[in-house]
Amino acid sequence: MNRIFGSSSSKKPKSTLQDAINATDARVASVEVKIKKLDGELFRYKEQMSKLRNGPGKNAIQQRALRVLQQKKLYEGQLNQLQQQTFNMESAALTTDNLRNTMATVDAMKLANKEMRKQYGKIDIDKIENMHFDMEELLEQANEIQESLGRSYAVPDEIDEADLEAELDALQLEEEEEGPSYLSDLNKVPDFVDEPPVETSEPAAKEAVKTA
């Protein structure tokens, strides 16, 4: 039965605010066309009256012009109402869009807050603090090691020549008392040499130079 006669429950979708704005804009456009047409008639009557003298003919045209002017005023009042309605509906639509955007922003912030709580819940602040303290201790130990490696030994900055000469004299005195030292052994002939080296005289060296 519902397929044949239709169902009473089937209803047309409700018009939205934008549909109402579009319908009102169409009415505004229609009224503007009518006003423009009436302006054309008034201009024509004005020209006719300017060419006629005072009399019944001019009075008749004047009456027509008055009726057209009155009709124009009615349309202008209607136009103002329709434009005000359009403005109000557009303001409401803008407010609705802003509210919708605000709600979307709030939902996004709620989701981000929930996710942040979930992520930060996995972080232990005490462990981070302990790790920070451990890093500070390690850095301090590294600095101490570097300072220890870079420490200079106890070397006197200035050496007095008089002290050196006194020490040298003391070494020579010890050598005279103890006998020849290892330095005097350098001038001795090695044991594996059978004959001592022959010293050459200076005249022989000079003759060798001449013969060369």
Side-chain angles (χ1 to χ4, degrees):
M1 295 295 291
N2 292 334
R3 292 180 180 178
I4 298 175
F5 298 103
S7 176
S8 60
S9 60
S10 61
K11 296 180 180 180
K12 294 182 180 180
K14 295 181 179 180
S15 59
T16 62
L17 187 58
Q18 188 61 42
D19 294 335
I21 293 173
N22 295 334
T24 305
D25 288 339
R27 292 176 62 187
V28 168
S30 176
V31 173
E32 287 178 346
V33 170
K34 292 179 180 180
I35 292 174
K36 187 176 181 180
K37 182 179 179 181
L38 293 175
D39 286 335
E41 292 181 5
L42 288 173
F43 181 75
R44 187 173 64 254
Y45 290 149
K46 183 178 179 181
E47 287 185 345
Q48 290 177 1
M49 287 187 297
S50 63
K51 296 178 182 179
L52 296 175
R53 296 180 180 179
N54 294 331
K58 186 176 181 180
N59 293 333
I61 294 174
Q62 187 176 1
Q63 291 297 322
R64 293 177 184 176
L66 290 174
R67 287 195 297 270
V68 171
L69 183 59
Q70 185 178 5
Q71 189 175 6
K72 178 186 174 182
K73 294 295 182 181
L74 293 175
Y75 281 128
E76 286 177 348
Q78 186 179 3
L79 179 62
N80 291 332
Q81 292 178 357
L82 293 173
Q83 289 176 344
Q84 185 63 38
Q85 291 176 7
T86 302
F87 175 78
N88 294 336
M89 287 187 292
E90 288 178 349
S91 298
L94 181 61
T95 303
T96 303
D97 291 338
N98 291 335
L99 181 60
R100 188 180 296 110
N101 294 332
T102 301
M103 294 303 298
T105 303
V106 172
D107 292 338
M109 292 177 65
K110 288 181 179 179
L111 182 61
N113 189 15
K114 182 179 179 181
E115 187 65 21
M116 290 175 64
R117 289 180 178 276
K118 181 179 179 182
Q119 294 297 329
Y120 280 108
K122 300 177 181 179
I123 300 175
D124 190 352
I125 302 298
D126 295 334
K127 290 182 178 180
I128 295 176
E129 291 292 335
N130 293 332
M131 182 177 63
H132 182 68
F133 293 146
D134 291 340
M135 289 294 296
E136 288 182 350
E137 292 180 357
L138 291 174
L139 290 175
E140 290 179 358
Q141 292 178 4
N143 291 331
E144 291 177 357
I145 292 173
Q146 294 297 327
E147 291 177 358
S148 177
L149 293 175
R151 187 181 302 167
S152 61
Y153 295 99
V155 177
D157 296 334
E158 296 181 359
I159 299 176
D160 192 357
E161 294 182 359
D163 294 338
L164 292 176
E165 291 177 356
E167 186 175 354
L168 182 61
D169 294 338
L171 291 174
Q172 290 177 355
L173 182 61
E174 290 177 0
E175 182 180 356
E176 293 176 355
E177 293 176 354
E178 296 177 359
S181 63
Y182 69 93
L183 295 175
S184 62
D185 294 338
L186 295 176
N187 297 324
K188 293 175 62 178
V189 179
D191 296 335
F192 58 84
V193 177
D194 296 334
E195 296 180 358
V198 179
E199 296 181 357
T200 58
S201 60
E202 294 182 358
K206 292 181 180 179
E207 291 179 359
V209 172
K210 290 180 180 181
T211 57

